[in-house]
Each structure stands twice: as structure tokens, then as C-alpha cells.
Amino acid sequence: MTRRTAVPLTLLALAGLALVAPPAVAAPSAPRTVVALGHTLPLGPAGLAETRTTRTLQPGVTLTRIVRGHTDPSAVWTVEVAVPSGPGSPDPDTPPAAISDEASARAAADRLRAAGLDPRVEKVGTPPLADFSGDLGWRLRVGSTATKAAADAIRQQVIAAGLSGSSVYTGWDGEPDDVAGSTGPWHIDVLTIDPRTFRGRLDATYGPDLEQRETTSQLAALEGADTAVNAGFFVLDPAAGAPGDPAGVAAYDGQLVSEPIAGRPALVVREDARRTSIVRLRWRGDVAGLTLDGLDRVPGLIRNCGGTGDIPTDLPRHDYTCTDRDELIAFDTWYGMRTPSGPGAEVVLDSSGRVTEIRSARGGTIPAGGRTIQATGAKVDALLAVAHPGRKLVIRATLIDQRGRPVPTSPLGSIVNGGPELVRDGRLHATPAADGMVRPDDPSFYYGWVHKRNPRTFAGVDAKGRTVLITADGRSTSSLGLGIAETAAVARAIGLRNAINLDGGGSTTMVADSAVINVPSDATGERPVGDALVVLPAR
């Protein structure tokens, strides 16, 4: 990405970084190239038809489109009912949910039968993963129709009976013994970058500033890249912080601009596409002896949690915003034109790190090459006690691995956040519990995010040292998507030795030859995202 001047943090060279145990546009025709991508995909029955078409985008970069399976006639549309908590629930005040206890599901089924409907109560088992297994609970469904419109009509009857629900396609279920929808189809795009012949540049970019969002194709165009995929998780709702801000670790051109989430995995890349790795990261940050809580984010709002002193937890909790009234956050010009406003205090530093201004409330511009430090709650007095006009304050931030060792980086490398881990040392190793996707009090979250088939973006490195970026379309009847267990299995089948899940759902986008080649699932089309991985041609 475009080089920017910033006060350097205590980060070293990336070269020695080791792996820790770890609207669609038709692709133009091009000469076909043979690229080994492991085995046929472990999706559906073994005998399903699978086609692979590969073309070269630039030296060392190939794109393979994999289409597997066909529409299963047994897959239907149905209404999945949001079940209110009943007397059997451990928390009767819990809002209606897709997954509940059996007693609550059967009580809601009785209400639907009284309204003349024929519901079915189903136990939901989920594929075992590296750190989670077992049944999720019970769901309640009504109807089996050939079209969504017919399911929507049944949904209106469910609403008239005093309940709520959504129309879903059973091909998206993804149970371990799934029958309906088990034949697909699946559409998967695989971008392979071979460092032995690659002469371009692999980079990560967030666009003009962190606190704005752009589509993946826009981010590619801004960098002069003709190939890209969406990358890490990010803040979407202003109530959770600054939209576009990474929801986890992020470093661009060697500059750390967003702190890690309590040991969650990240994808580390270099411009030459060599030594791509997946590392679980933590960090240490301080200024004048005071501990930093974060970098370039709205104080008090920690998307995906995993900080220190956060409410309700210091552990990762995916798609959840923790809070902390007492925080110290450092900003630089990568964040945007102005820092977040609000009560507290803000210290302004010039390009040499000297205090030039003390603001009695947060919010204002960041001087060119300079930084600011914001404090809230109990951290205000502590910051004001050390921030005297003219005093030089040194901001330090160091990434550390699981063993507490500093993790190096360089201006030639970038880091984007992700999770869960999928493959480690060639073995299936999906880690939703460690990475905050398991909520014991909310099995419906796991059901929708991990268990069910969704669009996915994932990445990794194979045994030949090639960086591989993958998108799988989903949320349609023409491409079912993948559950996390299936995502891990596909990554291993393609040949990845280490792999990580990136942001998916409506964010999943792949650009090749400057055009979006997959089918993003949002009804509005390509979604603006926080950052992207871009592949630039040789200079």
C-alpha cells in the first residue's frame, strides 16, 4: 500500500518469523494452466461431479474455479421458528432464538399446532471440531416447500400465531449427517501465489484511513491492484466503534495500528509472498510507564473483546462489543482526519513525540507525523500527571507470541486478523471455542455462525510455500456455502498446511482482472469492508 510517515513502534524485521504451531462478472478466457491443488473437495458424496478451471493472472499467480455437485431435489425451503424461552430454559428471560431447550421448543410447537400448522421439533448435532463438540439443542421448523415465496406465506401464519421466524433453505444446514442439500452445489475460487515465480507484490490495505469502509474492488483499484480478496473482521455498526476499524490485530507496511484480541490467530504476509504464516498474537503497549489499552479505536468500545478489564469478559467473544470506562488509547494519522470526540482528555504530540497541546475533552486533528493519546475515566488523571507541555513521550507497542516472545514485522509485511484457525501442520484444527465463537448461554450464535453454511473467505500456506486465498459463495441455492468444519476440510483438501478463516458472509469477495468474479451475498451487492489483501503486478 502507499507508504506513510508515522512514528515507528518497537517492531523488528519480518524475515525470521516462523509458523506458530501453530454483482458477478464473467471471467475472460485465458490459457489454461495445470496447478496442483490437492484432492477433490470433501463435500457431499464421493462420486459428485467436480470441475476445475485454472488460468494464469500474472507470473506466479493462478486462479482456479472449482464447481462441485448439483442441486439436491430433497433440499427444500422451510420456516425456522424463533423459540421463546419456556419453563425448561435456564434463563426464562432469554429472547426467542433458533436453538433452544427441548421443552421450550415443544411448547412453541404446541402453539403452532393449535393454530392449524404442522411443526417439527429437531435435535441439532454439530460436527466435532478441535475444541468444541456436542449437540447444540433443539430447533423448531414448519413447512417443506419448493420456493421461498411459499415458505414466506407459512411464515406469515407463524407470525399470526404469535411467534416469529425466518424462511431458510435446508441446503444451508450442514449437519454431520445432512441429507437435504448434501449434493451441493458449491462454487469456490482459489487464488494461488507461488513465491518462486511471483514478481508482483502481495499487500494488505485499508484505504485512505481506518475509520472508513470501501469495497474490496475499490481497495484494489486504489492500490493499483487487479486481484484482491476481502480480509479481516472490522467494526460495522457505529455503536461498536468507528466503522471500518479492524476488529482485531492489524499492521500495514510494518506499522501496528490495531491491537490483537487475546491470542486470536492472524495472517502474516510479506510483499514477496514468502513465509506466509498464521500466528496467535498478544501485545504490550505503554507510554511514560502507563499501560495502553488500544490503538486507533474509539475508547471504551472493544469489538470482539479480548482486552484488559473489559466488561463482561477479557476473553475473545466474536461479534460482540465489550466495554471499558477506563482506557488509554494511542492514535496516529492512519486513523483518520480527526480522533473520536467525547469526555476525557487528549494529549497531542508533534513528530518528535513532544507534548504540544492538552485537550480537556477528546477529539480533534492529529498533527502531520504526530500522534495523540486519549484517556477516559480513571486513566485521565494518570495521563495528565505525566503529560507536561514540552515533555517527550515515547509510545511503545510490541506484538508477542504465545510464548511471550516479541513477534517481528517490517515495512515489507502486513498482518490481518481472523479466526478461527482451520488447519495446523496439515491437520484439521478448527478452534471456535478458543477464538470466541462458542457462547454457552447462546447456542444460536454458534449455530448461525459456525455450524451453518455461509459464504467464507479463508487463507493459508501449502507445503510448497505458496500463499493461497480462497472464497466460497453461499446463502443461495446455486452455491450453498460452508460450515466451519467444511471450511477446514476444504482447506486441507486443497493442500494447505496451515489455514485461517477470515471475514466472510456478505464481506466475501474476490476480484480478478479488476472485476468481481464471485457473487457477494448481500442483496445490495458488494459490501464495503475494513481491509483487503491485494495482489499487484510487477513494477
Side-chain angles (χ1 to χ4, degrees), residues 252-319:
Y252 310 94
D253 298 341
Q255 181 73 17
L256 182 64
V257 297
S258 183
E259 74 275 13
I261 294 171
R264 271 178 50 151
L267 179 71
V268 182
V269 299
R270 290 169 33 130
E271 288 187 353
D272 60 7
R274 295 180 182 274
R275 300 193 182 112
T276 293
S277 59
I278 294 160
V279 188
R280 288 187 173 273
L281 295 170
R282 295 180 182 272
W283 81 301
R284 292 190 294 260
D286 68 89
V287 56
L290 303 176
T291 299
L292 287 173
D293 293 277
L295 301 170
D296 290 316
R297 65 167 170 82
V298 177
L301 300 174
I302 308 94
R303 187 62 173 171
N304 291 340
C305 305
T308 302
D310 298 347
I311 297 173
T313 180
D314 286 349
L315 298 175
R317 182 174 291 190
H318 193 69
D319 278 359

